[in-house]
Amino acid sequence: RACSKCQKAAQIVLRADNTFCRDCFLSYFTHKFRATIGKSKLIRSNEKVLLAFSGGPRSSAMVHLVHEGLSGNVHKKLRFLPGIVFIDDGAILGLSDSERRQDIEFIYKFVSKVGLPFYCESLAKVMLAECGTRLAVKILSDIAQGRGSAVAHDVSFADMRNDEVTFVRPMREFLTKEVANYLTLKNIDCKTRLSLTTMKPFKCSIERLTENFITGLQASFPSTVNTVCRTGDKLSMDDDISNKADDSVCPLCDSRVDTTDSLEDITLSENKTTQCQSSGGCRLTFNNNNWKVDDLPPFVIDAVHKQLRRQKMKEEIEGFLLD
């Protein structure tokens, strides 16, 4: 087959009508990444941005793209100041000390090659390496788990639910297959990270089941991921979350609380106050795990108490407010 751009021999076949030679694919991949960042006009020149790096395929590709974009001889050079953060979750996954040391050594080796700082302070933006395939899975699994109100934030380019940090997704336009091809052509080392569902049956969780469904459908219908993501892009909140009162935001996931949700009555007697202030998905999590208020981290308990104080204050002054 011939490259659909330059008519040279194709090396990459994404779809039947979408073939590339090596140079054209790398140019397409790089342009797509920078265009995703540029069209948002969210990241300013010389702004510090943290790159969430796990050493896996997606984050390795993202870090490499940022590294190349900072080079002095590239067209439309990236002008923000990146730093890298790695979270060692090996203890949760049951890895041995030796395995965790190997992972950390790999991370340090990778970071030293690209020459980016491994830690920065006062960062208002964090880049996540979630690709379109991953976001398509998240859209459907969020809805299945009662987190439909969070979909618009979970899949958008910029997630601004947190007042202090904005999470951005510059890899959201790519498929997993495209990322894999980029890593191969660039000869970039990566290390697949284990998760709680690694090597588990696809029915072990809703998210794992959804992933199996999406990837299976994508193999037969190449437009599946794009269709799901485009549908997710059309979802939006009725009002800007930043304009909402604190008592309408879930203290656990920062999503808006829908008080008309049919799951409102699914509560535990000892957790009734907390669950009434939470999103539908978080209430289900409480219900399924039989958690108590004492199981919550302190910042969540503080947020709940703040909501209760605001609610009480509203009730006290309600008679004095004009319609």
Side-chain angles (χ1 to χ4, degrees):
R1 292 186 179 184
C3 173
S4 57
K5 299 292 184 182
C6 67
Q7 302 307 310
K8 294 181 180 178
Q11 293 178 262
I12 304 296
V13 179
L14 298 180
R15 291 186 293 271
D17 58 345
N18 203 1
T19 57
F20 297 92
C21 65
R22 182 184 188 278
D23 292 340
C24 287
F25 176 79
L26 293 177
S27 176
Y28 150 82
F29 197 90
T30 302
H31 172 75
K32 199 172 184 179
F33 176 78
R34 295 177 189 169
T36 302
I37 297 175
K39 68 183 180 183
S40 71
K41 297 181 180 180
L42 186 67
I43 301 177
R44 300 183 297 272
S45 179
N46 295 323
E47 183 175 16
K48 294 180 179 179
V49 179
L50 196 62
L51 310 183
F53 181 55
S54 68
R58 295 190 301 269
S59 60
S60 296
M62 180 181 70
V63 170
H64 193 271
L65 285 164
V66 170
H67 170 63
E68 285 195 336
L70 295 173
S71 302
N73 58 349
V74 300
H75 181 58
K76 293 184 177 181
K77 179 180 177 181
L78 299 177
R79 302 194 179 279
F80 59 86
L81 305 177
I84 291 179
V85 62
F86 166 73
I87 298 176
D88 179 16
D89 56 359
I92 299 175
L93 300 174
L95 300 182
S96 66
D97 291 342
S98 175
E99 291 172 321
R100 294 172 65 184
R101 280 195 297 270
Q102 290 177 6
D103 286 345
I104 294 174
E105 288 173 2
F106 174 84
I107 296 298
Y108 272 113
K109 183 178 179 180
F110 190 102
V111 173
S112 64
K113 285 183 179 179
V114 297
L116 297 179
F118 201 64
Y119 176 77
C120 292
E121 296 180 353
S122 303
L123 299 177
K125 292 186 176 68
V126 176
M127 278 191 176
L128 305 177
E130 295 172 311
C131 67
T133 307
R134 181 76 187 91
L135 294 179
V137 173
K138 181 176 285 189
I139 290 172
L140 297 186
S141 62
D142 271 0
I143 294 174
Q145 296 177 83
R147 300 186 181 276
S149 62
V151 168
H153 298 292
D154 283 346
V155 303
S156 62
F157 174 79
D159 184 345
M160 301 181 180
R161 281 176 291 184
N162 189 288
D163 293 334
E164 299 180 359
V165 179
T166 297
F167 295 94
V168 296
R169 302 179 176 92
M171 303 288 289
R172 67 189 302 271
E173 300 293 336
F174 296 113
L175 302 175
T176 300
K177 182 178 181 179
E178 292 175 318
V179 174
N181 284 321
Y182 178 80
L183 294 173
T184 300
L185 294 178
K186 284 288 188 177
N187 195 28
I188 299 173
D189 291 332
C190 63
K191 188 170 185 176
T192 302
R193 297 278 296 170
L194 298 178
S195 69
L196 294 176
T197 59
T198 300
M199 303 299 291
K200 297 289 182 63
F202 65 86
K203 293 183 179 179
C204 67
S205 69
I206 291 177
E207 187 170 349
R208 180 72 178 83
L209 183 62
T210 306
E211 180 183 9
N212 184 73
F213 171 73
I214 288 290
T215 53
L217 201 59
Q218 175 72 17
S220 301
F221 302 94
S223 62
T224 297
V225 169
N226 287 334
T227 300
V228 175
C229 288
R230 294 294 176 266
T231 302
D233 287 340
K234 295 177 182 178
L235 301 177
S236 62
M237 306 297 289
D238 292 336
D239 298 298
D240 189 342
I241 196 72
S242 62
N243 295 327
K244 287 287 183 180
D246 288 344
D247 57 357
S248 65
V249 177
C250 175
L252 286 170
C253 66
D254 279 339
S255 298
R256 192 184 65 178
V257 175
D258 184 0
T259 56
T260 63
D261 197 325
S262 61
L263 297 174
E264 185 72 20
D265 294 332
I266 301 181
T267 60
L268 298 176
S269 58
E270 65 269 33
N271 283 349
K272 186 173 181 59
T273 299
T274 302
Q275 294 194 46
C276 286
Q277 305 295 329
S278 305
S279 65
C282 289
R283 288 198 299 273
L284 281 176
T285 300
F286 268 87
N287 225 20
N288 293 336
N289 291 280
N290 294 323
W291 283 346
K292 299 180 180 179
V293 174
D294 293 339
D295 296 325
L296 294 172
F299 77 90
V300 175
I301 298 177
D302 291 341
V304 172
H305 289 162
K306 183 178 179 181
Q307 290 177 348
L308 293 175
R309 289 194 298 269
R310 289 178 60 89
Q311 183 178 353
K312 183 178 180 180
M313 181 181 67
K314 284 183 178 181
E315 293 173 354
E316 291 176 349
I317 67 174
E318 185 175 4
F320 301 95
L321 298 177
L322 298 177
D323 293 334

